[in-house]
Amino acid sequence: MPKPPYALGTERRTGFFTWCCAFICAFVFIIIIVVGIVVFVGYLAIRPKVPLLYVHAARLDRFDYNQAGVLAVRLTIIMRAENHNVRAHASFYDTKLILDYHGLSIAQLVADPFEVRKNTSTELYYVVESSPIPLDPPEQYLTEQSLANTKRMPFFLKGNSRARWRVGPLGSVKFWLHINCRLQLPIDYTAVYPHCSSKSH
């Protein structure tokens, strides 16, 4: 006796909710593509340059060192923040730099958040005056060698700052700026212009 044919079920149709979800996903995907193209074209049009922070000038205003190996100094340091973007302002914040002498921290240089308008620069003036610092024998030896030979005192300025530039709907880009600068300052109070610039990522 032949078997009856299998009964076919009713045809399943795509529901209205599924079509709505597919349409929304496609719409969102198109928006993402358009925004990406706009950002890329804007980037090519603006060609942003990383803002710079560097030591423009430094001077040793006072250098007192006695036979007991106690050191006291006063320095003037001028930092310069530059923004070479012609279509975007730049903001600098979280600026913290440490000034040291043969590994001894003398002062911390900080700055409140500030803005540098497009294609301009801003200078930061610091006057650093230390309290008397007793040096250990190795630092005493190095100091006496510098006084006898080069007449220049080695200071190091290290630290970080953050920078951000923003252009309208394109959003903003943030950078870490890193300073690692060796300052050889004459004891005759002559200013030097090291132009140690920041490195970023």
Side-chain angles (χ1 to χ4, degrees), residues 8-200:
L8 297 176
T10 58
E11 183 180 355
R12 298 185 63 184
R13 296 183 178 181
T14 303
F16 176 75
F17 178 76
T18 303
W19 278 111
C20 287
C21 290
F23 177 78
I24 292 173
C25 290
F27 182 72
V28 171
F29 185 70
I30 292 173
I31 290 177
I32 292 174
I33 293 176
V34 171
V35 170
I37 293 174
V38 170
V39 171
F40 180 71
V41 172
Y43 181 89
L44 292 179
I46 297 170
R47 293 194 178 276
K49 299 177 182 178
V50 178
L52 291 176
L53 182 67
Y54 66 89
V55 182
H56 173 62
R59 185 180 66 238
L60 185 58
D61 298 322
R62 181 167 62 91
F63 188 88
D64 294 335
Y65 177 74
N66 60 29
Q67 294 182 348
V70 177
L71 173 70
V73 297
R74 184 174 68 239
L75 300 87
T76 297
I77 298 175
I78 302 175
M79 306 291 298
R80 179 172 287 177
E82 290 190 349
N83 175 24
H84 294 289
N85 291 293
V86 297
R87 296 183 179 86
H89 300 318
S91 299
F92 291 77
Y93 58 101
D94 289 345
T95 303
K96 296 179 182 178
L97 307 172
I98 299 295
L99 178 69
D100 72 44
Y101 176 77
H102 289 306
L104 301 174
S105 295
I106 294 177
Q108 184 181 59
L109 283 60
V110 299
D112 293 330
F114 61 95
E115 185 173 280
V116 180
R117 299 182 66 82
K118 53 188 177 183
N119 207 29
T120 60
S121 63
T122 297
E123 290 187 344
L124 306 174
Y125 291 84
Y126 296 97
V127 177
V128 179
E129 187 164 8
S130 74
S131 56
I133 305 171
L135 302 181
D136 291 334
E139 287 80 30
Q140 294 180 30
Y141 173 78
L142 293 173
T143 299
E144 292 163 4
Q145 288 295 305
S146 296
L147 287 172
N149 299 322
T150 64
K151 308 295 184 183
R152 291 173 175 262
M153 295 296 116
F155 294 87
F156 293 86
L157 189 63
K158 301 178 182 180
N160 306 294
S161 181
R162 300 201 71 182
R164 176 179 63 240
W165 64 262
R166 180 179 180 85
V167 181
L170 297 183
S172 62
V173 179
K174 299 178 180 180
F175 306 91
W176 274 108
L177 306 177
H178 305 282
I179 289 282
N180 189 353
C181 187
R182 179 183 174 92
L183 304 173
Q184 291 282 0
L185 302 183
I187 60 175
D188 63 359
Y189 316 129
T190 302
V192 298
Y193 301 89
H195 289 272
C196 297
S197 63
S198 57
K199 296 180 180 180
S200 66

